[in-house]
Short mmCIF file of all heavy atoms in Angstrom, two decimals:
data_model
loop_
_atom_site.label_atom_id
_atom_site.label_comp_id
_atom_site.label_asym_id
_atom_site.label_seq_id
_atom_site.Cartn_x
_atom_site.Cartn_y
_atom_site.Cartn_z
N GLY D 1 9.70 -0.36 -4.22
CA GLY D 1 10.73 -1.13 -4.90
C GLY D 1 10.42 -2.59 -5.11
O GLY D 1 11.30 -3.44 -5.03
N ASN D 2 9.17 -2.90 -5.37
CA ASN D 2 8.77 -4.27 -5.63
C ASN D 2 8.21 -4.39 -7.04
O ASN D 2 8.41 -3.50 -7.86
CB ASN D 2 7.76 -4.74 -4.57
CG ASN D 2 8.43 -5.04 -3.25
OD1 ASN D 2 9.15 -6.01 -3.12
ND2 ASN D 2 8.20 -4.19 -2.26
N ASN D 3 7.50 -5.46 -7.30
CA ASN D 3 6.88 -5.68 -8.61
C ASN D 3 5.37 -5.77 -8.48
O ASN D 3 4.73 -6.61 -9.12
CB ASN D 3 7.44 -6.95 -9.25
CG ASN D 3 8.93 -6.84 -9.50
OD1 ASN D 3 9.38 -5.91 -10.16
ND2 ASN D 3 9.69 -7.77 -8.96
N LEU D 4 4.80 -4.92 -7.62
CA LEU D 4 3.36 -4.94 -7.39
C LEU D 4 2.64 -4.30 -8.58
O LEU D 4 3.07 -3.28 -9.10
CB LEU D 4 3.01 -4.18 -6.11
CG LEU D 4 3.64 -4.72 -4.82
CD1 LEU D 4 3.31 -3.81 -3.65
CD2 LEU D 4 3.19 -6.14 -4.55
N THR D 5 1.54 -4.93 -8.98
CA THR D 5 0.74 -4.43 -10.10
C THR D 5 -0.69 -4.19 -9.62
O THR D 5 -1.05 -4.56 -8.51
CB THR D 5 0.74 -5.44 -11.26
OG1 THR D 5 0.21 -6.68 -10.80
CG2 THR D 5 2.14 -5.66 -11.82
N GLY D 6 -1.50 -3.59 -10.48
CA GLY D 6 -2.91 -3.35 -10.14
C GLY D 6 -3.02 -2.28 -9.07
O GLY D 6 -2.41 -1.23 -9.17
N ALA D 7 -3.80 -2.57 -8.04
CA ALA D 7 -4.02 -1.62 -6.95
C ALA D 7 -3.92 -2.35 -5.61
O ALA D 7 -4.01 -3.57 -5.56
CB ALA D 7 -5.39 -0.97 -7.09
N LEU D 8 -3.75 -1.58 -4.56
CA LEU D 8 -3.78 -2.16 -3.22
C LEU D 8 -5.17 -2.72 -2.97
O LEU D 8 -6.15 -2.24 -3.53
CB LEU D 8 -3.47 -1.08 -2.17
CG LEU D 8 -2.07 -0.48 -2.20
CD1 LEU D 8 -1.99 0.69 -1.24
CD2 LEU D 8 -1.03 -1.53 -1.85
N PRO D 9 -5.29 -3.73 -2.10
CA PRO D 9 -6.62 -4.26 -1.80
C PRO D 9 -7.46 -3.23 -1.04
O PRO D 9 -6.92 -2.41 -0.30
CB PRO D 9 -6.33 -5.49 -0.93
CG PRO D 9 -4.98 -5.27 -0.37
CD PRO D 9 -4.23 -4.43 -1.37
N SER D 10 -8.77 -3.29 -1.23
CA SER D 10 -9.66 -2.33 -0.56
C SER D 10 -9.56 -2.45 0.96
O SER D 10 -9.83 -1.49 1.68
CB SER D 10 -11.10 -2.53 -1.02
OG SER D 10 -11.52 -3.84 -0.74
N GLU D 11 -9.13 -3.61 1.45
CA GLU D 11 -8.99 -3.82 2.90
C GLU D 11 -7.92 -2.94 3.52
O GLU D 11 -7.77 -2.90 4.74
CB GLU D 11 -8.68 -5.30 3.20
CG GLU D 11 -9.80 -6.25 2.87
CD GLU D 11 -9.75 -6.73 1.42
OE1 GLU D 11 -8.87 -6.31 0.65
OE2 GLU D 11 -10.61 -7.53 1.04
N ILE D 12 -7.18 -2.20 2.69
CA ILE D 12 -6.18 -1.27 3.21
C ILE D 12 -6.82 -0.30 4.21
O ILE D 12 -6.17 0.21 5.11
CB ILE D 12 -5.47 -0.50 2.06
CG1 ILE D 12 -4.21 0.21 2.53
CG2 ILE D 12 -6.40 0.49 1.37
CD1 ILE D 12 -3.03 -0.70 2.73
N ALA D 13 -8.11 -0.09 4.08
CA ALA D 13 -8.84 0.82 4.97
C ALA D 13 -8.81 0.35 6.42
O ALA D 13 -9.04 1.15 7.33
CB ALA D 13 -10.29 0.97 4.50
N LYS D 14 -8.49 -0.92 6.66
CA LYS D 14 -8.40 -1.44 8.03
C LYS D 14 -7.21 -0.85 8.79
O LYS D 14 -7.19 -0.88 10.01
CB LYS D 14 -8.24 -2.96 8.00
CG LYS D 14 -9.45 -3.71 7.49
CD LYS D 14 -9.17 -5.20 7.48
CE LYS D 14 -10.35 -5.98 6.94
NZ LYS D 14 -10.06 -7.42 6.86
N LEU D 15 -6.22 -0.34 8.06
CA LEU D 15 -5.02 0.19 8.70
C LEU D 15 -5.24 1.66 9.06
O LEU D 15 -4.61 2.57 8.54
CB LEU D 15 -3.81 0.02 7.77
CG LEU D 15 -3.53 -1.41 7.31
CD1 LEU D 15 -2.31 -1.47 6.41
CD2 LEU D 15 -3.35 -2.35 8.50
N THR D 16 -6.15 1.87 10.00
CA THR D 16 -6.64 3.20 10.33
C THR D 16 -5.61 4.12 10.97
O THR D 16 -5.80 5.32 11.03
CB THR D 16 -7.85 3.11 11.26
OG1 THR D 16 -7.47 2.37 12.42
CG2 THR D 16 -9.03 2.43 10.57
N LYS D 17 -4.50 3.55 11.48
CA LYS D 17 -3.48 4.38 12.13
C LYS D 17 -2.35 4.79 11.18
O LYS D 17 -1.45 5.52 11.57
CB LYS D 17 -2.90 3.63 13.33
CG LYS D 17 -3.90 3.45 14.46
CD LYS D 17 -3.27 2.75 15.65
CE LYS D 17 -4.14 2.78 16.89
NZ LYS D 17 -5.42 2.19 16.77
N LEU D 18 -2.43 4.35 9.91
CA LEU D 18 -1.36 4.66 8.96
C LEU D 18 -1.16 6.16 8.80
O LEU D 18 -2.11 6.90 8.59
CB LEU D 18 -1.68 4.08 7.58
CG LEU D 18 -1.21 2.67 7.25
CD1 LEU D 18 -1.39 2.41 5.75
CD2 LEU D 18 0.21 2.40 7.66
N GLU D 19 0.09 6.58 8.90
CA GLU D 19 0.47 7.97 8.64
C GLU D 19 1.32 8.07 7.38
O GLU D 19 1.34 9.11 6.73
CB GLU D 19 1.24 8.54 9.83
CG GLU D 19 0.41 8.65 11.09
CD GLU D 19 1.20 9.23 12.25
OE1 GLU D 19 2.20 9.95 12.02
OE2 GLU D 19 0.82 8.97 13.40
N ILE D 20 2.02 6.98 7.04
CA ILE D 20 2.89 6.97 5.87
C ILE D 20 2.59 5.71 5.05
O ILE D 20 2.66 4.59 5.57
CB ILE D 20 4.38 6.98 6.28
CG1 ILE D 20 4.70 8.24 7.10
CG2 ILE D 20 5.28 6.90 5.04
CD1 ILE D 20 6.07 8.22 7.74
N LEU D 21 2.27 5.91 3.79
CA LEU D 21 2.04 4.80 2.86
C LEU D 21 2.95 5.02 1.66
O LEU D 21 2.80 6.00 0.94
CB LEU D 21 0.58 4.73 2.43
CG LEU D 21 0.21 3.65 1.41
CD1 LEU D 21 0.58 2.26 1.91
CD2 LEU D 21 -1.28 3.71 1.10
N ASN D 22 3.92 4.11 1.50
CA ASN D 22 4.89 4.24 0.43
C ASN D 22 4.83 3.00 -0.45
O ASN D 22 5.21 1.91 -0.04
CB ASN D 22 6.30 4.41 1.01
CG ASN D 22 7.35 4.62 -0.06
OD1 ASN D 22 7.10 4.48 -1.25
ND2 ASN D 22 8.55 4.97 0.37
N VAL D 23 4.32 3.18 -1.66
CA VAL D 23 4.29 2.09 -2.65
C VAL D 23 4.99 2.55 -3.93
O VAL D 23 4.65 2.13 -5.02
CB VAL D 23 2.85 1.60 -2.94
CG1 VAL D 23 2.28 0.86 -1.74
CG2 VAL D 23 1.95 2.75 -3.32
N SER D 24 5.99 3.40 -3.76
CA SER D 24 6.73 3.92 -4.91
C SER D 24 7.54 2.80 -5.58
O SER D 24 7.82 1.77 -4.97
CB SER D 24 7.68 5.05 -4.47
OG SER D 24 8.63 4.57 -3.54
N ASP D 25 7.90 3.05 -6.82
CA ASP D 25 8.75 2.13 -7.59
C ASP D 25 8.16 0.72 -7.71
O ASP D 25 8.81 -0.27 -7.39
CB ASP D 25 10.16 2.08 -6.99
CG ASP D 25 10.81 3.46 -6.98
OD1 ASP D 25 10.89 4.06 -8.07
OD2 ASP D 25 11.20 3.93 -5.91
N ASN D 26 6.92 0.66 -8.15
CA ASN D 26 6.24 -0.59 -8.48
C ASN D 26 5.65 -0.40 -9.88
O ASN D 26 6.02 0.52 -10.59
CB ASN D 26 5.15 -0.90 -7.44
CG ASN D 26 5.72 -1.51 -6.17
OD1 ASN D 26 6.11 -2.66 -6.14
ND2 ASN D 26 5.77 -0.72 -5.10
N GLN D 27 4.71 -1.25 -10.24
CA GLN D 27 4.00 -1.10 -11.51
C GLN D 27 2.50 -0.98 -11.26
O GLN D 27 1.69 -1.52 -12.01
CB GLN D 27 4.27 -2.29 -12.45
CG GLN D 27 5.66 -2.29 -13.07
CD GLN D 27 6.67 -3.02 -12.22
OE1 GLN D 27 6.41 -4.13 -11.75
NE2 GLN D 27 7.81 -2.42 -11.99
#
């Protein structure tokens, strides 16, 4: 529910414990 554009940064890989990633409702 934000106004994020493009893609997530490649550094997202640092969040190795992530089980849920929700970036719905953006651009």
Side-chain angles (χ1 to χ4, degrees):
N2 284 290
N3 297 305
L4 300 175
T5 59
L8 294 172
S10 59
E11 294 87 359
I12 194 76
K14 293 179 182 177
L15 304 180
T16 56
K17 292 182 169 58
L18 270 191
E19 294 180 24
I20 300 170
L21 178 57
N22 183 350
V23 290
S24 62
D25 301 304
N26 280 286
Q27 286 90 47

